[in-house]
Amino acid sequence: MKLGYRFADASLLQLALTHRSAGRPNNERLEFLGDALVNLVVAEMLFESRPPANEGELSRLRAQLVSEPALAERARGLQLGDALKLGSGELKSGGFRRDSILADAFEALVAAIYIDGGFQACRDWLRAVFAEPLATVGPPQKDPKTRLQEWLQARGLPLPQYELLAERGEEHAREFDVACVLEQPFVARFEGSGGSRRAAEQIAAEMALDFLCDHP
């Protein structure tokens, strides 16, 4: 891993990297605290770096920076996936690559740093991690479902259909599998998984878009 932080209490790091599928104790409580810390520090950074931006603009930029895919990308940059402790089912299904699991682990890691080193250490670490993403963040791009719809409409093609394939997990931590089905320009199915049905649909739509752009 490339954490850029040395823990005084290594057990906190291990806890932050333990997914609920591996049993108890796990990182769910740390994830709750880490979510609040990430939102606070990113909001502070945006407030300082975007003086002309109004409340709505700041909120939209923060939503981009702290979204599940964005936090998962931060986790990949730190190589957290290689160190995650997962149950056998999640290991077999490639949970160490899943955005929802990586984003949760990132938030749990933030909380672990806060508990281990205090707020200033956590704040400094987060500001370093988000310095580059914040410098390049811009107006939010349209979501994949909207872009896929516009791509098809521009060519006079039928809109995609979304099918719920599976729903699993405990009530507070559901996982959804969804298929995005295209009828034209050819029949195809693209499947995505996410922590909500909407998130899974967006992932499936993104896969469909990538394929269509590669096969015009």
Side-chain angles (χ1 to χ4, degrees), residues 53-100:
N54 61 35
E55 180 187 4
E57 292 169 330
L58 292 172
S59 295
R60 287 190 290 273
L61 290 171
R62 181 176 63 177
Q64 283 184 263
L65 289 165
V66 304
S67 67
E68 184 178 282
L71 294 186
E73 193 60 32
R74 304 287 79 74
R76 292 187 182 96
L78 299 170
Q79 300 178 352
L80 295 190
D82 298 336
L84 288 175
K85 184 178 180 181
L86 303 170
S88 58
E90 287 293 355
L91 277 173
K92 290 177 183 176
S93 65
F96 56 89
R97 294 189 297 267
R98 190 170 299 141
D99 278 5
S100 59

Side-chain angles (χ1 to χ4, degrees), residues 140-150 162 198 201-203 205-206 209:
Q141 187 182 37
K142 291 179 181 178
D143 65 80
K145 287 183 66 176
T146 301
R147 288 187 284 125
L148 176 59
Q149 178 175 315
E150 291 178 349
Y162 295 92
R198 181 180 182 277
E201 289 176 349
Q202 297 287 8
I203 292 169
E206 186 75 63
L209 266 173

Side-chain angles (χ1 to χ4, degrees), residues 55-214:
E55 180 187 4
E57 292 169 330
L58 292 172
S59 295
R60 287 190 290 273
L61 290 171
R62 181 176 63 177
Q64 283 184 263
L65 289 165
V66 304
S67 67
E68 184 178 282
L71 294 186
E73 193 60 32
R74 304 287 79 74
R76 292 187 182 96
L78 299 170
Q79 300 178 352
L80 295 190
D82 298 336
L84 288 175
K85 184 178 180 181
L86 303 170
S88 58
E90 287 293 355
L91 277 173
K92 290 177 183 176
S93 65
F96 56 89
R97 294 189 297 267
R98 190 170 299 141
D99 278 5
S100 59
I101 290 178
L102 287 168
D104 290 349
F106 179 85
E107 290 176 338
L109 174 64
V110 171
I113 292 173
Y114 168 75
I115 294 169
D116 186 75
F119 178 70
Q120 191 59 50
C122 178
R123 178 176 177 267
D124 291 345
W125 185 84
L126 277 170
R127 290 176 74 93
V129 168
F130 278 97
E132 183 176 345
L134 185 135
T136 57
V137 70
Q141 187 182 37
K142 291 179 181 178
D143 65 80
K145 287 183 66 176
T146 301
R147 288 187 284 125
L148 176 59
Q149 178 175 315
E150 291 178 349
W151 192 96
L152 294 168
Q153 285 178 327
R155 291 159 178 80
L157 299 173
L159 296 182
Q161 300 296 315
Y162 295 92
E163 299 176 2
L164 179 63
L165 303 177
E167 183 179 347
R168 58 186 179 276
E170 299 177 9
E171 189 63 33
H172 67 286
R174 304 296 282 169
E175 192 76 18
F176 297 81
D177 297 334
V178 169
C180 173
V181 183
L182 301 181
E183 296 179 1
Q184 293 183 32
F186 40 75
V187 178
R189 292 169 62 90
F190 303 88
E191 298 181 8
S193 298
S196 68
R197 181 167 180 170
R198 181 180 182 277
E201 289 176 349
Q202 297 287 8
I203 292 169
E206 186 75 63
M207 294 171 65
L209 266 173
D210 289 344
F211 186 86
L212 289 171
C213 291
D214 290 340

